[in-house]
Amino acid sequence: MKWKLALSFIISLTAFAYSQKIDEETAIKKLLEKESATWRAKDVKGHLDCWYIQPYSRILVSLPNGQTIDVPPTAMQNQKPESMGNGGFAIHSNYKMNITKNNPWVSHDELSTDAEGKKTWSYEIRLLEKIKGQWKLVGQSLHIYKREN
């Protein structure tokens, strides 16, 4: 009888822990989708809300021509609408996450379509931290590539 009670407790605890992980993954995906949408909508306040710049934050962008841009993280705090995206939308896929305590990293693919219908593909690595109970981006590495048809 005791072993049945112990087994039930272990199963319940495992199910609870798994549901917590799913909830965290969902919250992180929502943050990343919000960050993409606010960038394209030129929503300075909404985009800033997705970020929490730390002394060790870094934002790297590599372009299809091999050029690398080291974006100053403070640029996320001083956005101007004219320097942000140009409408359109983004679709994220192929999420892979490692959530360790309050410091997850996430990789995903992104297909961006601008307001004129031009498509851009990228692989992205995002670094997050939980700040006051909310997930925030603290760094990213973005690799834009030309898709072979």
Side-chain angles (χ1 to χ4, degrees):
M1 185 67 167
K2 287 183 181 182
W3 69 269
K4 286 182 182 180
L5 184 60
L7 181 60
S8 294
F9 178 72
I10 290 170
I11 290 172
S12 297
L13 188 60
T14 302
F16 177 74
Y18 181 74
S19 70
Q20 289 276 35
K21 181 181 177 200
I22 297 300
D23 290 346
E24 297 291 15
E25 287 179 2
T26 300
I28 289 169
K29 287 178 183 178
K30 284 183 180 181
L31 173 71
L32 299 180
E33 290 166 1
K34 175 184 176 184
E35 191 265 351
S36 292
T38 55
W39 174 261
R40 284 160 185 78
K42 300 179 185 281
D43 176 357
V44 174
K45 185 178 180 316
H47 194 257
L48 178 60
D49 187 50
C50 297
W51 285 87
Y52 191 88
I53 302 304
Q54 299 281 29
Y56 45 82
S57 291
R58 191 141 195 208
I59 301 168
L60 295 173
V61 179
S62 62
L63 303 176
N65 66 5
Q67 181 183 3
T68 302
I69 303 168
D70 192 352
V71 179
T74 54
M76 294 299 133
Q77 296 170 317
N78 303 310
Q79 288 291 336
K80 298 200 177 351
E82 55 272 11
S83 67
M84 296 176 78
N86 188 24
F89 61 93
I91 298 171
H92 295 176
S93 63
N94 197 25
Y95 281 102
K96 296 177 184 170
M97 296 189 194
N98 177 14
I99 303 173
T100 305
K101 296 186 181 180
N102 291 330
N103 298 303
W105 65 267
V106 180
S107 69
H108 66 87
D109 302 342
E110 182 175 289
L111 168 56
S112 297
T113 306
D114 71 13
E116 286 79 43
K118 180 184 173 205
K119 296 184 183 314
T120 304
W121 290 266
S122 62
Y123 301 119
E124 304 194 12
I125 307 281
R126 312 289 201 109
L127 307 171
L128 299 95
E129 290 182 12
K130 193 172 257 190
I131 308 293
K132 297 180 183 174
Q134 299 293 313
W135 291 115
K136 301 289 183 178
L137 285 158
V138 296
Q140 72 179 7
S141 184
L142 174 84
H143 308 280
I144 301 169
Y145 65 94
K146 290 183 181 178
R147 185 170 173 166
E148 302 294 325
N149 291 333

